[in-house]
Amino acid sequence: MSTLDRAGEAGPTTGVPPVDPDEAVTAPARAPRPPNRRPGLGGRIFVAVALVVTTIAFVYPFVWLVSASLKPRSDVFDNRLIPETLTFDNYIEVWNAAPMAAWLLNTAFVTIMATLTVTISSALVAWGFARYQFRGRNFLFGLVLASMMIPGAATMIPTYLIWDSLGMVGTLTPLWAGNVFGTAFYIFLLRQFFLGLPTELFDAAEMDGAGHWKVFWHVALPLTKPALVVVALFEFQAAWTDLMRGLIYLRDREDFTVPRGLKSMLDQFGFGGEWHWELVVTASVITTVPMILVFFLGQKQIIQGVASTGTKG
Amino acid sequence: MSTATAPGRRTRPATRRRRGEGGRHQGRVALLFISPWLIGFVVFMAYPVLYTVYLSLTDYDVINDPSFVGLDNYRELMGDEKIRLALRNTFVYTLMSVPAQLAVSLGLALLLQRAGRAAGFFRTAFFLPKMTPPVAVGVLLLMLLNGQNGLLNEFLGWFGINGPNWTTDPAWVKPGLVIMSLWTVGASVIILLAALQEVPEELLDAARVDGAGWWRRLWHVTVPIISPAIYFIVVVDTIASLQSFTEAYTAFFGAGNTTYSNDAALFYAIYLFQQAFEFLHMGYASAMAMLLFVIVMVVTAVQVMLSRRYVHYTGGAR
């Protein structure tokens, strides 16, 4: 992992671009410490042991889950790390017991649509706030920030009624289409990033005759790629893992997303009459794995994005 | 709208130069750029909030038109035993999980800071659970914290501890949920780790020279300096905890006619969801939503007030 390079002493991250890939936000150790600051042998052993123990606590549930999904029905709860009898039957059975392929496709569709729309629209809005002076700008941006504080419950029911009146309940549309309007948090993140870019660049492009749209699309946006990736990854996770909207808007089993489907399998095979925890476990693995894969692909951006979200006042 | 064309805090000579003649034109272009949010704000934020206020004064079951009932829903809300239970559950859970999450994530961040070369590996390990879909976390809760054969109790058994029935004993349901919430503190760890990088070594050295031990340095130097990050985490975690839904709903509430409810896990958001979408008491649920709205606002306002006292922003940046 490239985090091993102790990427420069980038100093306090007061500069606005929060996600410069080479920034030292995540580099754990600064310059080598003078000897007097180094913890003693006892301290180092403590740190090492504590790190290993906590790591096991954080990773073990995944291992347990995957291992349980490879066990026959009777052994699911035996807590053995290596299955006594190893079988892939559960995966085949899940495929027969539930329309898993449809669920995966539905979720992929919703996730991709949600991610694409929210990234583009949030960037548009952020650019409008970052680049231009206009009457009421501070007031409107205050509204953007304030809207982050409104709990989802306060808008949930009328939002449902809107989609209902559009005849969209029972379709996948309500799960993503709200995203075409942008999301306050992403607008905030991207605006911060835009404000960190040198204005001269855009002025120069305008002098050269580029229109507003061209400056945004061909000059600003390419420079924003790291921040756009962060927003896309955040939204990918939010959309992939969302259960609530699936519960509210989806009716037919065929139309479920994977989280919604997993919940229905738990109701059917876990709490319900049919005792098939091995299927619930396997469906959990199937729900989780795509997210974990995306995490490993975008790890650096996700972690740097997260690191930068909490450091601004 | 009184602040009108007040220039942004950042001085931006280029745009200001053009304000004379092109100001109006700029405004129109800017409105075009922000129009997606403007439309979305009106349609999916302002209107729904106002409509929730209205619905909270009605009886509404989706099938028949809303009928105005005045403050009846709110009156009923005051006397609803289940609301009281749900509120208590939610507050107890929040008061347990927010400090626990903060303590654990700060501990892990401090550990990571000393991890040297391997920090990248451990950081990934700590962050991984954050990527697990909450519904899968709910399933894991049922399996790992199971009273009969769960992994956690098996582990406690090594130390001769007879673990409780985390998933069925009302006294242990919320602690179990807190334990699962600790599993997903990865994001807070990363945020705190980033903040820890900003603590000036000179200050720690000065404290060391003055004879301050590890604990005193942490409490009197490190914590005040990273207090903005701590504050951010506390606010975000509190708001999230007050609205907890997915893990507890997955683990303890069957959709439709499956019953596995454990009232110890009946969080406010779950009861609200049930009222709205299972019992179709949309008016009553709207009143509940208004109450949640007020609670979140009050809690946040209190936190803002406290932050003025305890959060230190160094360097004047932001």
Side-chain angles (χ1 to χ4, degrees):
Chain A
M1 225 119 293
S2 51
T3 46
L4 293 185
D5 58 358
R6 308 199 163 166
E9 299 279 79
T13 46
T14 43
V16 183
V19 281
D20 176 0
D22 293 324
E23 211 160 32
V25 168
T26 53
R30 305 195 132 196
R33 288 158 183 280
N36 67 321
R37 294 202 195 122
R38 194 173 286 158
L41 183 64
R44 265 178 291 164
I45 290 177
F46 169 78
V47 166
V49 170
L51 277 170
V52 170
V53 169
T54 45
T55 301
I56 290 173
F58 276 79
V59 175
Y60 204 91
F62 289 107
V63 182
W64 184 93
L65 197 65
V66 173
S67 135
S69 74
L70 299 172
K71 293 169 184 171
R73 182 180 177 186
S74 53
D75 295 351
V76 173
F77 280 102
D78 72 3
N79 291 336
R80 240 185 284 258
L81 190 58
I82 315 280
E84 203 171 17
T85 28
L86 194 129
T87 167
F88 288 93
D89 287 356
N90 296 334
Y91 286 87
I92 296 161
E93 260 187 66
V94 159
W95 230 262
N96 294 329
M100 194 55 84
W103 292 354
L104 283 167
L105 274 178
N106 290 340
T107 319
F109 172 75
V110 166
T111 305
I112 288 168
M113 292 304 285
T115 305
L116 276 180
T117 51
V118 92
T119 309
I120 293 170
S121 59
S122 300
L124 274 170
V125 177
W127 178 251
F129 277 116
R131 169 76 181 153
Y132 301 105
Q133 303 279 345
F134 56 94
R135 188 178 272 273
R137 184 185 71 164
N138 293 344
F139 170 77
L140 286 176
F141 193 69
L143 276 185
V144 174
L145 297 182
S147 68
M148 282 199 257
M149 303 293 302
I150 298 175
T155 55
M156 186 169 73
I157 293 169
T159 304
Y160 168 83
L161 296 174
I162 292 173
W163 290 119
D164 189 36
S165 67
L166 294 172
M168 295 293 190
V169 170
T171 73
L172 294 170
T173 312
L175 275 66
W176 63 267
N179 278 2
V180 302
F181 303 111
T183 296
F185 176 62
Y186 302 143
I187 293 170
F188 173 71
L189 267 185
L190 291 169
R191 174 182 162 273
Q192 291 289 96
F193 193 93
F194 283 131
L195 287 178
L197 298 174
T199 327
E200 295 76 19
L201 216 61
F202 311 125
D203 294 337
E206 268 179 31
M207 301 273 195
D208 290 344
H212 296 280
W213 175 255
K214 228 174 175 179
V215 173
F216 168 70
W217 194 256
H218 292 291
V219 185
L221 218 49
L223 293 170
T224 323
K225 226 159 131 199
L228 293 176
V229 171
V230 168
V231 167
L233 288 167
F234 280 8
E235 184 58 28
F236 189 100
Q237 193 217 5
W240 187 275
T241 63
D242 178 54
L243 171 70
M244 174 90 87
R245 279 189 210 151
L247 288 169
I248 295 177
Y249 293 108
L250 302 179
R251 296 279 182 266
D252 297 334
R253 206 152 173 266
E254 294 286 323
D255 298 331
F256 285 175
T257 54
V258 183
R260 178 72 186 86
L262 174 56
K263 176 60 181 151
S264 77
M265 289 188 74
L266 183 63
D267 290 339
Q268 184 184 352
F269 299 116
F271 306 147
E274 307 165 58
W275 199 251
H276 279 292
W277 282 92
E278 80 284 3
L279 296 182
V280 177
V281 162
T282 308
S284 300
V285 175
I286 295 172
T287 309
T288 307
V289 162
M291 208 44 252
I292 301 294
L293 287 179
V294 168
F295 170 63
F296 278 110
L297 285 176
Q299 211 205 133
K300 208 174 165 190
Q301 279 84 357
I302 293 179
I303 286 183
Q304 274 162 354
V306 168
S308 66
T309 49
T311 47
K312 44 182 62 85
Chain B
M1 286 260 199
S2 55
T3 46
T5 41
R9 209 155 301 159
R10 300 163 57 88
T11 35
R12 323 187 68 197
T15 33
R16 188 178 292 174
R17 171 181 52 75
R18 224 181 295 114
R19 236 186 37 250
E21 71 277 26
R24 190 151 297 164
H25 170 62
Q26 277 221 344
R28 241 175 286 141
V29 175
L31 278 181
L32 270 179
F33 273 109
I34 67 168
S35 59
W37 176 77
L38 271 180
I39 297 168
F41 180 79
V42 172
V43 177
F44 283 102
M45 199 62 82
Y47 162 75
V49 169
L50 293 176
Y51 200 65
T52 300
V53 176
Y54 163 70
L55 277 183
S56 75
L57 304 172
T58 68
D59 254 348
Y60 185 44
D61 60 2
V62 187
I63 298 132
N64 303 297
D65 285 341
S67 66
F68 192 80
V69 296
L71 293 174
D72 277 7
N73 287 325
Y74 291 95
R75 237 169 265 138
E76 195 182 331
L77 211 136
M78 296 297 166
D80 187 339
E81 282 295 324
K82 267 198 137 173
I83 295 250
R84 230 168 282 166
L85 175 71
L87 277 176
R88 193 166 48 225
N89 286 340
T90 308
F91 287 140
V92 167
Y93 172 76
T94 303
L95 285 174
M96 284 197 293
S97 73
V98 174
Q101 288 181 45
L102 182 63
V104 167
S105 49
L106 183 56
L108 290 175
L110 288 166
L111 271 180
L112 268 183
Q113 207 191 10
R114 295 275 169 269
R117 268 160 214 285
F121 167 79
F122 292 113
R123 201 188 47 193
T124 302
F126 294 156
F127 197 78
L128 211 52
K130 186 76 196 162
M131 290 290 115
T132 313
V135 62
V137 175
V139 171
L140 273 171
L141 190 159
L142 285 175
M143 311 206 74
L144 299 179
L145 270 60
N146 190 299
Q148 283 84 52
N149 36 25
L151 191 66
L152 180 62
N153 280 1
E154 190 169 294
F155 173 76
L156 291 175
W158 295 354
F159 304 95
I161 300 169
N162 204 353
N165 285 317
W166 304 94
T167 54
T168 50
D169 184 344
W172 290 98
V173 161
K174 278 184 284 289
L177 282 161
V178 172
I179 290 175
M180 285 317 285
S181 81
L182 292 180
W183 193 52
T184 52
V185 292
S188 307
V189 176
I190 304 295
I191 288 171
L192 287 172
L193 183 62
L196 285 174
Q197 312 299 323
E198 311 281 312
V199 179
E201 280 295 335
E202 307 85 74
L203 277 183
L204 292 170
D205 282 341
R208 209 177 265 115
V209 169
D210 290 344
W214 181 85
W215 182 254
R216 282 176 66 99
R217 287 200 304 273
L218 175 70
W219 191 245
H220 293 292
V221 181
T222 307
V223 166
I225 290 176
I226 63 170
S227 57
I230 291 179
Y231 172 59
F232 175 83
I233 288 169
V234 168
V235 170
V236 170
D237 281 355
T238 306
I239 294 178
S241 291
L242 289 175
Q243 302 180 60
S244 301
F245 175 82
T246 305
E247 289 89 342
Y249 183 81
T250 302
F252 297 111
F253 295 90
N257 49 11
T258 27
T259 49
Y260 184 69
S261 58
N262 191 322
D263 277 352
L266 184 73
F267 287 151
Y268 196 80
I270 293 175
Y271 191 47
L272 202 167
F273 173 83
Q274 289 180 329
Q275 284 291 349
F277 296 103
E278 285 178 18
F279 315 146
L280 295 180
H281 296 160
M282 295 269 180
Y284 192 58
S286 297
M288 287 187 68
M290 291 317 300
L291 179 62
L292 180 64
F293 193 24
V294 171
I295 290 171
V296 169
M297 289 297 149
V298 168
V299 169
T300 311
V302 169
Q303 285 174 340
V304 169
M305 258 148 39
L306 288 175
S307 81
R308 298 232 168 91
R309 237 181 121 167
Y310 296 107
V311 178
H312 307 271
Y313 293 93
T314 44
R318 276 182 288 274

